Amino acid sequence: MQQKVILNHVTREDVSRIKVWLEDEEVSETWFGRYSYGEPAHLGYHPAEMEEASDEEFQRVFDDPKHQTLSIYAEGEHIGEVHIAIEESLGDGQLSILIGRKDMWHHGFGTAAAQAALDLGFGEFGLFRVWVDIPEYNAAAKTLFEHLGFAHEGTLRKSRPHEGSRFDSVVMGMLAAEYTQKLQDRDSEVSHSV
């Protein structure tokens, strides 16, 4: 069954939950891991700083067109975050998805959030390519993006520190034409099953 999610603007309460979720080692490793100095990594903003930011700074960060950050809500509750780092000159967007609520893992919410983010990236933002960078130890994320139709584009050697070692990460991508074809295939499937 396809899960339903809504992507909302980020609130201060959402940022506080992200900060708490990232303190959990298992959660932070599914997101961006940790910086070499040990703090949980996060693209687009630093949760601890945003909790205390002025209203103007908060708005500046979350209105940044190069960092589209949205909260994932399911069943009326905040469960995670989507981030698309946009390189406008290339028409590229690096997609990252965090389901911070561990009780929601492996229930299809990541897939639903990825699909919603792709709809935004290719539909609203007009991107040519959306890509992800997945550490080799995150097999669930690799499977999720393979299932969505992302293609392997390369491997970054020993790019991810994790548990005292360094691991490769896999770059996978989807082009706008591939996304459009997927939508047509999905629509065709639905019309045949009715």
Side-chain angles (χ1 to χ4, degrees):
M1 178 178 92
Q2 176 72 29
Q3 296 292 353
K4 303 276 190 233
V5 299
I6 297 170
L7 302 182
N8 287 334
H9 291 287
V10 177
T11 67
R12 287 185 189 272
E13 293 80 17
D14 295 344
V15 168
S16 294
R17 279 187 287 274
I18 290 290
K19 181 180 165 223
V20 169
W21 289 333
L22 290 178
E23 290 169 0
D24 181 311
E25 187 75 25
E26 192 175 11
V27 172
S28 70
E29 290 300 332
T30 67
W31 185 233
F32 294 111
R34 295 191 173 270
Y35 294 117
S36 56
Y37 53 84
E39 290 295 314
H42 193 284
L43 294 183
Y45 72 94
H46 297 286
E49 291 175 14
M50 283 299 102
E51 278 187 313
E52 306 300 323
S54 67
D55 290 342
E56 295 79 20
E57 177 66 8
F58 193 89
Q59 185 170 354
R60 184 190 67 75
V61 166
F62 290 104
D63 287 346
D64 182 351
K66 293 179 183 176
H67 291 278
Q68 297 290 331
T69 306
L70 297 160
S71 291
I72 305 166
Y73 275 75
E75 302 168 2
E77 294 187 38
H78 180 221
I79 66 165
E81 188 172 275
V82 164
H83 178 260
I84 306 173
I86 296 176
E87 181 60 54
E88 190 176 355
S89 62
L90 299 174
D92 272 9
Q94 180 186 4
L95 173 61
S96 303
I97 297 171
L98 170 70
I99 303 299
R101 289 261 314 266
K102 288 166 52 171
D103 62 316
M104 305 293 244
W105 286 7
H106 310 296
H107 294 287
F109 293 103
T111 300
Q115 189 61 59
L118 290 172
D119 292 346
L120 269 178
F122 290 121
E124 187 174 324
F125 305 147
L127 297 174
F128 178 78
R129 175 176 165 264
V130 172
W131 62 283
V132 293
D133 175 3
I134 303 168
E136 65 181 322
Y137 52 81
N138 192 344
K142 187 172 183 285
T143 299
L144 182 157
F145 286 104
E146 285 172 344
H147 173 73
L148 288 173
F150 278 62
H152 181 268
E153 296 183 342
T155 301
L156 302 174
R157 297 178 304 147
K158 306 299 179 200
S159 64
R160 294 293 185 102
H162 176 68
E163 296 181 347
S165 297
R166 293 194 70 91
F167 292 83
D168 293 348
S169 64
V170 177
V171 175
M172 301 175 75
M174 177 180 276
L175 305 179
E178 294 166 337
Y179 168 78
T180 300
Q181 185 61 52
K182 281 279 190 195
L183 286 181
Q184 290 170 353
D185 293 348
R186 191 171 53 196
D187 290 345
S188 175
E189 252 180 46
V190 169
S191 67
H192 285 97
S193 66
V194 174

